[in-house]
Amino acid sequence: MRTHSVAYLPGDGIGPEVCDVARRCVNAAGAAFGFNVRWDEQSVGGRAIDESGRALPPATLEACRSADAILLGAVGGPRWDDPTAAARPEDALLALRSELELFANLRPVTAHPALAAASPLRPEVRDGADILILRELTGGLYFGRPQGREEHDGVESVVDTLRYTRAEIERIVELAFELAEGRRGHLTSVDKANVLASSRLWREVVNEVAARHASVTVEHALVDSTAYLILTQPTHYDVIVTENLFGDILSDEAAAIAGSLGLMASASLGTRTTAKGRLGMYEPVHGSAPGIAGKGVANPLATVASAAMMLRLSLGEADAADDLESAVTAAIEDGPRTADLGGSDGTEAVAGFLLARIGAGLEVTA
Ligand SMILES: NC(=O)c1ccc[n+]([C@@H]2O[C@H](COP(=O)([O-])OP(=O)(O)OC[C@H]3O[C@@H](n4cnc5c(N)ncnc54)[C@H](O)[C@@H]3O)[C@@H](O)[C@H]2O)c1
């Protein structure tokens, strides 16, 4: 039987509750599709700070390095909010991104008709929208140096640095073309080339890589107009690729198309590839929701959808990924609803609904 190893980092708040549902769903898919997952549970974030004083203990990093994939819940909460503390839960996320070179953040945005009422967009605008946003994750303003405040001759100033190497741009753009080839073949590259030198190099690289992917239609778009068009014409987009800061903003904005941040899945892919896929870290977009932690009411769908991406992109289990995604879609359309979606059902009700469907189609056709 095929065996996969997954570093399991439930983290803080509702992280353990939603990760537990995703783990059971993946195990059920494994039983149906003939694979095993070895889950290596490790501390991260606030829990790790409490245990060892570090948000990302060396043992956790090592487990992530040697795994086929990482499943993460969420980190943080009021207990660890002191801005003067030596260690902060979010440090773990930035460290994992840079240590594992998780350079590409993927966020699918789908407009499920069943959630039309949850979206501020009119149904005729959002219906049919199905976008994959690809954000560069390890370069740009968030990592560029110098960064900080200084004072010279009584003048206070501050600097952030937007730096990209050609190679950093090329690897994310290449991945964007590959992903567009597997979808509808349309790629929008978002930049600010009328102002920024980094964007002009970005455009140049996109045009070079485009020559190797003739089946993909490419368009260049400015980030300011894209921020408007993504909400007024969301069905125009297939794959969007952009740099770190622009991607951070556009991907949260696009959650309005889906209707709820609580349903959004994400993958952060690294440079290391295996025969099964690419090392990746998978996590829901939402945070640790400390206000509802431990109450059994958290919505696990974003984490289960993230686990489906893990099966597809890192573990090479595309059939199981399809099955998990169908179960999530069925839950959105016809399943129990947690409070964030206007219902009053609990986490376990959603888990039971999903587990009853995973692998069910196989039994019928067998
Ligand atoms: N990647 C991460 O680990 C990550 C991301 C964002 C925020 N955080 C951290 O999480 C903590 C809380 O942050 P926040 O309140 O701004 O954002 P949040 O996403 O945790 O919560 C925002 C709102 O959505 C609700 N919510 C979120 N996920 C839900 C789910 N699965 N089911 C039902 N309701 C859900 C919460 O109850 C809350 O009302 C902070 O410490 C923050 O730093 C972590």
Side-chain angles (χ1 to χ4, degrees), residues 133-198:
I133 300 182
L134 193 54
R135 164 190 168 195
E136 204 289 328
L137 206 55
T138 53
L141 278 171
Y142 295 9
F143 289 90
R145 296 292 180 268
Q147 182 187 61
R149 284 180 182 216
E150 50 193 29
E151 190 171 332
H152 290 299
D153 302 329
V155 178
E156 191 180 16
S157 62
V158 64
V159 62
D160 289 293
T161 301
L162 204 179
R163 186 185 303 281
Y164 271 109
T165 65
R166 175 177 278 273
E168 283 172 332
I169 300 171
E170 201 168 328
R171 68 184 177 183
I172 183 109
V173 167
E174 181 65 43
L175 181 63
F177 274 96
E178 288 167 19
L179 291 166
E181 280 167 348
R183 290 174 50 102
R184 300 191 299 280
H186 188 267
L187 178 66
T188 306
S189 171
V190 176
D191 62 35
K192 187 73 182 167
N194 50 347
V195 177
L196 298 176
S198 55

Side-chain angles (χ1 to χ4, degrees), residues 133 190 223 226-227 230 240 242 246-254:
I133 300 182
V190 176
V223 63
T226 304
I230 204 169
I240 293 175
T242 190
F246 298 160
D248 194 4
I249 297 168
L250 288 181
S251 59
D252 267 23
E253 185 196 0

Side-chain angles (χ1 to χ4, degrees), residues 107 251-256 258-265 284-287 302 340:
R107 277 201 202 176
S251 59
D252 267 23
E253 185 196 0
S260 163
L261 203 58
L263 284 177
M264 290 191 66
V285 167
H286 63 71
D340 55 307

Side-chain angles (χ1 to χ4, degrees), residues 14 18 74-77 81 90 93 283 285-290 292 298-299 340:
I14 61 169
V18 293
V75 298
D81 265 354
E90 299 76 17
L93 301 178
E283 57 180 317
V285 167
H286 63 71
S288 61
I292 59 167
N299 185 348
D340 55 307

Side-chain angles (χ1 to χ4, degrees), residues 166 169-170 173 201-210:
R166 175 177 278 273
I169 300 171
E170 201 168 328
V173 167
L201 178 61
W202 185 280
R203 260 189 202 208
E204 203 177 298
V205 172
V206 169
N207 289 335
E208 285 166 17
V209 177

Side-chain angles (χ1 to χ4, degrees), residues 97-104 138 171 268-274 277-280:
R97 287 175 195 168
S98 64
E99 289 290 334
L100 302 174
E101 286 191 85
L102 302 174
F103 69 94
T138 53
R171 68 184 177 183
S268 300
L269 299 182
T271 45
R272 178 158 72 75
T273 54
T274 66
R278 214 178 250 279
L279 173 72

